Amino acid sequence: MLQNVVTVAVPGVHPFELGVACEVFGIDRSDHGLPVYDFAVASAEPGSVATASGFSILVEHGLERIAAADLVVVPASGLRADDDPESEGLLQALRDAVDRGARVLSMCSGAFMLGEAGLLDGRRCTTHWMYAERLARRHPAAEVLPDVLYVEDRGVVTGAGTAAGIDACLHIVRQENGSRVANTIARRMVVPPHREGGQAQYVARPLAAPDCSQMQATLDWLQDNLGNDVTIEQMAAYAHMSQRTFARKFQQETGTTPYEWLVAQRVLAAQELLEETEMTVDSVAAHTGFGSAATLRHHFLKRRGATPQAYRRLFRGAA
């Protein structure tokens, strides 16, 4: 179970990604019945560490703090030249963490540090789309996936650019502590508990100016009607758009189709019910709009790699 979390601060660390780790794992949310993590920031050399934004932070812990961690988070930092390696002590601490069964998580360009540690060789990984080709060139033994928001491979989790670090952190919380905890943290942070699509949707390209309030109202309405049989015609009508315009705007703003988004949200809702209630699989299917246990099983297996009943047994066994 996830209890001890350390995030690494190196010179040139990016404050946003560092802050994501602090926000997800470093805040006491016991007033909402959530777990409290033993959280710390560590550095190869404790003391003042300069960030990429012109200010410094004071880090109290050294690399010995990593030795007790269940999760080590590596935020983004400035990209180093190929002949300017990271601290060998820090790289060894990351290798030791994985060897003893801890997870490591990189955000954005933090993947390069994992690469320097040899942790990406033979693994699937990702980074910001701007750096994907460079990561693949520098570490040819890694399988770089340029389009995903995050990916996990044998204890090594890599997140794409900036805000995708939130997705990766919530993914780990969901695996370790369940959907209720991940969803509650997401609500506290005012972010989606799970985003569909990949970072390809954010690559520069001509887009119509999005009407965020109009689309957000439709997404909220869909969330409230997951158990109902909602058609694309009804979605477009609710958004006051033609079906063609609605489908195009939906793809632009969410990175996926209305159908895929709706199925993904239903699977997420089913996952939470399987974890938190005693409802039968048939009842979960009806409550989340799948209609039948067979339909739920098909979509759940496709997106979670397990049947609903197997997932419930796994989750309760872990708990």
Side-chain angles (χ1 to χ4, degrees), residues 112 127-138 144 146:
F112 286 82
T127 187
H128 194 291
W129 58 266
M130 291 176 60
Y131 308 139
E133 290 187 10
R134 181 173 177 177
L135 183 66
R137 288 196 306 269
R138 184 177 294 191
V144 180

Side-chain angles (χ1 to χ4, degrees), residues 102-119:
R103 274 193 175 110
V104 296
L105 160 65
S106 69
M107 301 184 196
C108 193
S109 59
F112 286 82
M113 187 184 297
L114 301 191
E116 290 296 319
L119 296 176

